[in-house]
Amino acid sequence: MVSYQPLWETLARRGMSKTSLSEASGITPSTMARLARNDNVSLITIEKICKTLNVEIEDVVTRDEQRPLSGTFRPNKNEPVHRWFPYLEGYSRQLVEYELRNRQAGEVVYDPFGGSGTTPLTAVMNGLDGLYSEINPVMSLIAQTKMKSTALAMDGELDLSRLRNWQERFRGLDVVGLKAHENRSLGDFDRFFDEDALLGIHVMREFIEEESDDLIRDLLKVVLASIVVPVSRMIRRGDLRFANDRERAKNVYPFKETAIAKFGELINDLSGVPRARPGYFAFVSEDVRDSDLRECVDVVVTSPPYLNGTNYFRNTKLEMRVLNIIESEKELGGFYQQGITAGINNVSSRREYETVEFPAFEEIVSALEADAYDSRIPVMVTGYFADMHKAISKIHEALKSGGVLSFDIGDSQFAGVHVPTHTLLDVMIREAGFEALDQTVLRTRRSRNGMTLTQRVMRYVKE
């Protein structure tokens, strides 16, 4: 996606080594190594280099057209802080930084579907203000904790001694210490875990109850939430499901060692955050449709729920249970009726949707009513676009005149009926008062029936 060849040419012309640049600019050796690999680094790092060398940004970095933008979470697995929680439905920091490449410190970035916080966190780390909405309480906790701890680390005001103490305390637990918790139960969730994991979960939950500092307590929650699936009998393959014997042999991890490693990851990442002025950050609302932002946002970078049947709440049910958000799977039903209708489980006779009227949409719904294997599918599709119509209206209200919307979306198919989500949303977005700029196809894929589907970023400006 990027190339730092201009930087190496600039250094060569000046007879300056990479080590000299590192020392003069205060950039760490690990960051210099990232530059050498053409990995993305923060805009703050680029600015430091430009200031040290007294050059323009084009003398440091250029776009490498041979490296495509990544619309998946995969690159984040190696990104400090972003990697804490494996959010398969998310996208990469690099994609967000590309969309924010021309933004100035102090501008306001909003993600109405915040997920695990990739957009607002990237904004904060680059001196931009990051706002977000997120209806899933697990994701909201993850996002808020990432941003709060990172901002404090950037300001040099984060004390990690208490987190290190918890890591050492957990490291010192022996089998006898763990056995003291063996009579505790997670109710109907016990079946998702072996005894080792249940014992570890109960210890971590007691640590969380004992901690008095709000931020450290939330960091402990992040540790627990981020490892609860890997130490369970479950596996994420699109949706959360029980792992088969072969998968369990490869993917079930011992709780104590996994927790200690995750503690280390958080501590190392926060210790390595470069000192700089962070952007302001704030939680706006659970549901974007309930937000009250008015012409205060410069750019929206977001990825709404895909119309693909994924149940975003059920996929975090283990995290919800261990964090005491729910006590039984029966409580998940209440969450299904919230948020954008993107899965069959969101469909309910108690929900009423506004009518969506334009010919292309009506033809698709008619085809689904005739061919779909489940009568809820055409209702789900109708509900999705009705919900997204309201969300788009709120996004339009939030953006300043001339503000930019970068919209990551993929199309779908059900029973062989193609649902061109991007095309239908494009009609809504234009009707809401946006002018199309351009779009980038991030990747193509094939559905099980062989239909070619795409993921793309669509860009608009508020007229």
Side-chain angles (χ1 to χ4, degrees), residues 4-29:
Y4 300 104
Q5 185 59 32
L7 172 60
W8 313 135
E9 293 173 356
T10 299
L11 293 180
R13 286 195 301 270
R14 299 191 178 187
M16 190 175 185
S17 69
K18 295 178 183 178
T19 301
S20 298
L21 173 62
S22 176
E23 293 172 350
S25 63
I27 296 173
T28 64

mmCIF file of all heavy atoms in Angstrom, residues 4-29:
data_model
loop_
_atom_site.group_PDB
_atom_site.id
_atom_site.type_symbol
_atom_site.label_atom_id
_atom_site.label_comp_id
_atom_site.label_asym_id
_atom_site.label_seq_id
_atom_site.Cartn_x
_atom_site.Cartn_y
_atom_site.Cartn_z
ATOM 1 N N TYR A 4 8.435 3.416 1.100
ATOM 2 C CA TYR A 4 9.306 4.439 1.678
ATOM 3 C C TYR A 4 10.587 4.612 0.860
ATOM 4 O O TYR A 4 11.575 5.140 1.358
ATOM 5 C CB TYR A 4 9.632 4.077 3.138
ATOM 6 C CG TYR A 4 8.390 3.987 3.982
ATOM 7 C CD1 TYR A 4 7.870 2.753 4.359
ATOM 8 C CD2 TYR A 4 7.718 5.137 4.375
ATOM 9 C CE1 TYR A 4 6.706 2.670 5.104
ATOM 10 C CE2 TYR A 4 6.553 5.059 5.125
ATOM 11 C CZ TYR A 4 6.053 3.822 5.482
ATOM 12 O OH TYR A 4 4.898 3.747 6.220
ATOM 13 N N GLN A 5 10.537 4.188 -0.407
ATOM 14 C CA GLN A 5 11.692 4.361 -1.276
ATOM 15 C C GLN A 5 12.130 5.831 -1.365
ATOM 16 O O GLN A 5 13.333 6.119 -1.364
ATOM 17 C CB GLN A 5 11.390 3.810 -2.674
ATOM 18 C CG GLN A 5 12.567 3.826 -3.628
ATOM 19 C CD GLN A 5 13.748 3.011 -3.120
ATOM 20 O OE1 GLN A 5 13.573 2.012 -2.424
ATOM 21 N NE2 GLN A 5 14.966 3.454 -3.431
ATOM 22 N N PRO A 6 11.173 6.802 -1.404
ATOM 23 C CA PRO A 6 11.615 8.211 -1.414
ATOM 24 C C PRO A 6 12.450 8.576 -0.195
ATOM 25 O O PRO A 6 13.378 9.391 -0.302
ATOM 26 C CB PRO A 6 10.292 8.986 -1.451
ATOM 27 C CG PRO A 6 9.328 8.060 -2.098
ATOM 28 C CD PRO A 6 9.713 6.694 -1.603
ATOM 29 N N LEU A 7 12.138 7.981 0.971
ATOM 30 C CA LEU A 7 12.919 8.269 2.184
ATOM 31 C C LEU A 7 14.343 7.767 2.027
ATOM 32 O O LEU A 7 15.304 8.482 2.350
ATOM 33 C CB LEU A 7 12.249 7.623 3.401
ATOM 34 C CG LEU A 7 13.046 7.674 4.708
ATOM 35 C CD1 LEU A 7 13.334 9.114 5.122
ATOM 36 C CD2 LEU A 7 12.297 6.933 5.813
ATOM 37 N N TRP A 8 14.509 6.543 1.532
ATOM 38 C CA TRP A 8 15.861 5.982 1.396
ATOM 39 C C TRP A 8 16.669 6.788 0.367
ATOM 40 O O TRP A 8 17.872 6.983 0.538
ATOM 41 C CB TRP A 8 15.793 4.504 0.994
ATOM 42 C CG TRP A 8 14.820 3.691 1.790
ATOM 43 C CD1 TRP A 8 13.917 2.789 1.320
ATOM 44 C CD2 TRP A 8 14.648 3.714 3.212
ATOM 45 N NE1 TRP A 8 13.185 2.263 2.341
ATOM 46 C CE2 TRP A 8 13.616 2.797 3.523
ATOM 47 C CE3 TRP A 8 15.244 4.421 4.264
ATOM 48 C CZ2 TRP A 8 13.172 2.570 4.823
ATOM 49 C CZ3 TRP A 8 14.805 4.205 5.573
ATOM 50 C CH2 TRP A 8 13.786 3.295 5.837
ATOM 51 N N GLU A 9 15.993 7.271 -0.673
ATOM 52 C CA GLU A 9 16.684 8.103 -1.659
ATOM 53 C C GLU A 9 17.082 9.446 -1.052
ATOM 54 O O GLU A 9 18.165 9.975 -1.332
ATOM 55 C CB GLU A 9 15.771 8.307 -2.870
ATOM 56 C CG GLU A 9 15.513 7.021 -3.660
ATOM 57 C CD GLU A 9 14.485 7.197 -4.754
ATOM 58 O OE1 GLU A 9 13.920 8.322 -4.844
ATOM 59 O OE2 GLU A 9 14.220 6.239 -5.495
ATOM 60 N N THR A 10 16.218 10.001 -0.195
ATOM 61 C CA THR A 10 16.536 11.262 0.486
ATOM 62 C C THR A 10 17.746 11.092 1.395
ATOM 63 O O THR A 10 18.669 11.926 1.420
ATOM 64 C CB THR A 10 15.326 11.746 1.311
ATOM 65 O OG1 THR A 10 14.220 11.976 0.435
ATOM 66 C CG2 THR A 10 15.652 13.038 2.053
ATOM 67 N N LEU A 11 17.776 9.979 2.160
ATOM 68 C CA LEU A 11 18.909 9.718 3.055
ATOM 69 C C LEU A 11 20.195 9.530 2.253
ATOM 70 O O LEU A 11 21.262 10.014 2.656
ATOM 71 C CB LEU A 11 18.629 8.483 3.918
ATOM 72 C CG LEU A 11 17.505 8.595 4.957
ATOM 73 C CD1 LEU A 11 17.362 7.283 5.715
ATOM 74 C CD2 LEU A 11 17.746 9.745 5.920
ATOM 75 N N ALA A 12 20.089 8.823 1.129
ATOM 76 C CA ALA A 12 21.286 8.571 0.314
ATOM 77 C C ALA A 12 21.866 9.877 -0.223
ATOM 78 O O ALA A 12 23.092 10.074 -0.234
ATOM 79 C CB ALA A 12 20.935 7.627 -0.836
ATOM 80 N N ARG A 13 20.990 10.779 -0.660
ATOM 81 C CA ARG A 13 21.468 12.058 -1.186
ATOM 82 C C ARG A 13 22.191 12.866 -0.113
ATOM 83 O O ARG A 13 23.106 13.640 -0.418
ATOM 84 C CB ARG A 13 20.288 12.867 -1.737
ATOM 85 C CG ARG A 13 19.736 12.354 -3.056
ATOM 86 C CD ARG A 13 18.843 13.388 -3.716
ATOM 87 N NE ARG A 13 17.709 13.760 -2.868
ATOM 88 C CZ ARG A 13 16.534 13.150 -2.890
ATOM 89 N NH1 ARG A 13 16.341 12.125 -3.719
ATOM 90 N NH2 ARG A 13 15.557 13.554 -2.117
ATOM 91 N N ARG A 14 21.777 12.670 1.131
ATOM 92 C CA ARG A 14 22.385 13.441 2.220
ATOM 93 C C ARG A 14 23.523 12.692 2.917
ATOM 94 O O ARG A 14 24.105 13.203 3.874
ATOM 95 C CB ARG A 14 21.314 13.814 3.246
ATOM 96 C CG ARG A 14 20.214 14.686 2.662
ATOM 97 C CD ARG A 14 19.322 15.246 3.735
ATOM 98 N NE ARG A 14 18.307 16.119 3.158
ATOM 99 C CZ ARG A 14 17.473 16.859 3.888
ATOM 100 N NH1 ARG A 14 17.558 16.837 5.203
ATOM 101 N NH2 ARG A 14 16.577 17.631 3.294
ATOM 102 N N GLY A 15 23.776 11.460 2.486
ATOM 103 C CA GLY A 15 24.822 10.670 3.125
ATOM 104 C C GLY A 15 24.482 10.342 4.564
ATOM 105 O O GLY A 15 25.379 10.254 5.418
ATOM 106 N N MET A 16 23.210 10.136 4.844
ATOM 107 C CA MET A 16 22.720 9.909 6.210
ATOM 108 C C MET A 16 22.252 8.462 6.350
ATOM 109 O O MET A 16 21.614 7.902 5.453
ATOM 110 C CB MET A 16 21.564 10.870 6.496
ATOM 111 C CG MET A 16 21.110 10.934 7.937
ATOM 112 S SD MET A 16 19.831 12.228 8.113
ATOM 113 C CE MET A 16 19.590 12.187 9.893
ATOM 114 N N SER A 17 22.584 7.837 7.478
ATOM 115 C CA SER A 17 22.204 6.448 7.705
ATOM 116 C C SER A 17 20.840 6.357 8.389
ATOM 117 O O SER A 17 20.335 7.337 8.955
ATOM 118 C CB SER A 17 23.239 5.747 8.575
ATOM 119 O OG SER A 17 23.216 6.263 9.904
ATOM 120 N N LYS A 18 20.265 5.164 8.370
ATOM 121 C CA LYS A 18 19.000 4.941 9.065
ATOM 122 C C LYS A 18 19.166 5.125 10.573
ATOM 123 O O LYS A 18 18.280 5.658 11.245
ATOM 124 C CB LYS A 18 18.487 3.529 8.764
ATOM 125 C CG LYS A 18 18.115 3.292 7.306
ATOM 126 C CD LYS A 18 17.674 1.864 7.075
ATOM 127 C CE LYS A 18 17.366 1.601 5.613
ATOM 128 N NZ LYS A 18 16.974 0.195 5.364
ATOM 129 N N THR A 19 20.325 4.697 11.080
ATOM 130 C CA THR A 19 20.583 4.856 12.521
ATOM 131 C C THR A 19 20.638 6.329 12.896
ATOM 132 O O THR A 19 20.081 6.742 13.929
ATOM 133 C CB THR A 19 21.898 4.174 12.902
ATOM 134 O OG1 THR A 19 21.827 2.788 12.563
ATOM 135 C CG2 THR A 19 22.166 4.314 14.397
ATOM 136 N N SER A 20 21.278 7.125 12.075
ATOM 137 C CA SER A 20 21.357 8.564 12.339
ATOM 138 C C SER A 20 19.975 9.200 12.340
ATOM 139 O O SER A 20 19.658 10.049 13.176
ATOM 140 C CB SER A 20 22.247 9.250 11.301
ATOM 141 O OG SER A 20 23.565 8.750 11.359
ATOM 142 N N LEU A 21 19.122 8.785 11.389
ATOM 143 C CA LEU A 21 17.757 9.308 11.335
ATOM 144 C C LEU A 21 16.994 8.910 12.587
ATOM 145 O O LEU A 21 16.260 9.718 13.169
ATOM 146 C CB LEU A 21 17.042 8.783 10.092
ATOM 147 C CG LEU A 21 15.546 9.132 10.000
ATOM 148 C CD1 LEU A 21 15.353 10.642 9.938
ATOM 149 C CD2 LEU A 21 14.910 8.449 8.786
ATOM 150 N N SER A 22 17.157 7.651 13.015
ATOM 151 C CA SER A 22 16.473 7.176 14.217
ATOM 152 C C SER A 22 16.852 8.014 15.433
ATOM 153 O O SER A 22 15.997 8.435 16.214
ATOM 154 C CB SER A 22 16.808 5.703 14.454
ATOM 155 O OG SER A 22 16.237 5.247 15.661
ATOM 156 N N GLU A 23 18.146 8.284 15.584
ATOM 157 C CA GLU A 23 18.617 9.050 16.737
ATOM 158 C C GLU A 23 18.165 10.504 16.671
ATOM 159 O O GLU A 23 17.766 11.096 17.673
ATOM 160 C CB GLU A 23 20.140 8.970 16.817
ATOM 161 C CG GLU A 23 20.657 7.568 17.129
ATOM 162 C CD GLU A 23 22.163 7.470 17.014
ATOM 163 O OE1 GLU A 23 22.773 8.438 16.503
ATOM 164 O OE2 GLU A 23 22.724 6.437 17.426
ATOM 165 N N ALA A 24 18.207 11.093 15.492
ATOM 166 C CA ALA A 24 17.861 12.504 15.349
ATOM 167 C C ALA A 24 16.369 12.771 15.517
ATOM 168 O O ALA A 24 15.964 13.821 16.018
ATOM 169 C CB ALA A 24 18.324 13.017 13.987
ATOM 170 N N SER A 25 15.549 11.816 15.089
ATOM 171 C CA SER A 25 14.095 12.013 15.113
ATOM 172 C C SER A 25 13.420 11.433 16.340
ATOM 173 O O SER A 25 12.257 11.732 16.629
ATOM 174 C CB SER A 25 13.472 11.394 13.856
ATOM 175 O OG SER A 25 13.693 9.989 13.837
ATOM 176 N N GLY A 26 14.143 10.562 17.073
ATOM 177 C CA GLY A 26 13.541 9.905 18.230
ATOM 178 C C GLY A 26 12.659 8.732 17.863
ATOM 179 O O GLY A 26 11.882 8.234 18.682
ATOM 180 N N ILE A 27 12.778 8.264 16.620
ATOM 181 C CA ILE A 27 11.995 7.103 16.174
ATOM 182 C C ILE A 27 12.683 5.830 16.646
ATOM 183 O O ILE A 27 13.895 5.684 16.511
ATOM 184 C CB ILE A 27 11.867 7.111 14.635
ATOM 185 C CG1 ILE A 27 11.073 8.339 14.189
ATOM 186 C CG2 ILE A 27 11.187 5.843 14.143
ATOM 187 C CD1 ILE A 27 11.040 8.515 12.692
ATOM 188 N N THR A 28 11.915 4.906 17.185
ATOM 189 C CA THR A 28 12.481 3.692 17.757
ATOM 190 C C THR A 28 13.013 2.765 16.665
ATOM 191 O O THR A 28 12.545 2.808 15.514
ATOM 192 C CB THR A 28 11.435 2.927 18.568
ATOM 193 O OG1 THR A 28 10.382 2.488 17.693
ATOM 194 C CG2 THR A 28 10.841 3.807 19.659
ATOM 195 N N PRO A 29 13.966 1.894 16.994
ATOM 196 C CA PRO A 29 14.470 0.925 16.015
ATOM 197 C C PRO A 29 13.376 0.027 15.452
ATOM 198 O O PRO A 29 13.425 -0.346 14.275
ATOM 199 C CB PRO A 29 15.505 0.124 16.829
ATOM 200 C CG PRO A 29 15.962 1.082 17.893
ATOM 201 C CD PRO A 29 14.747 1.881 18.255
#
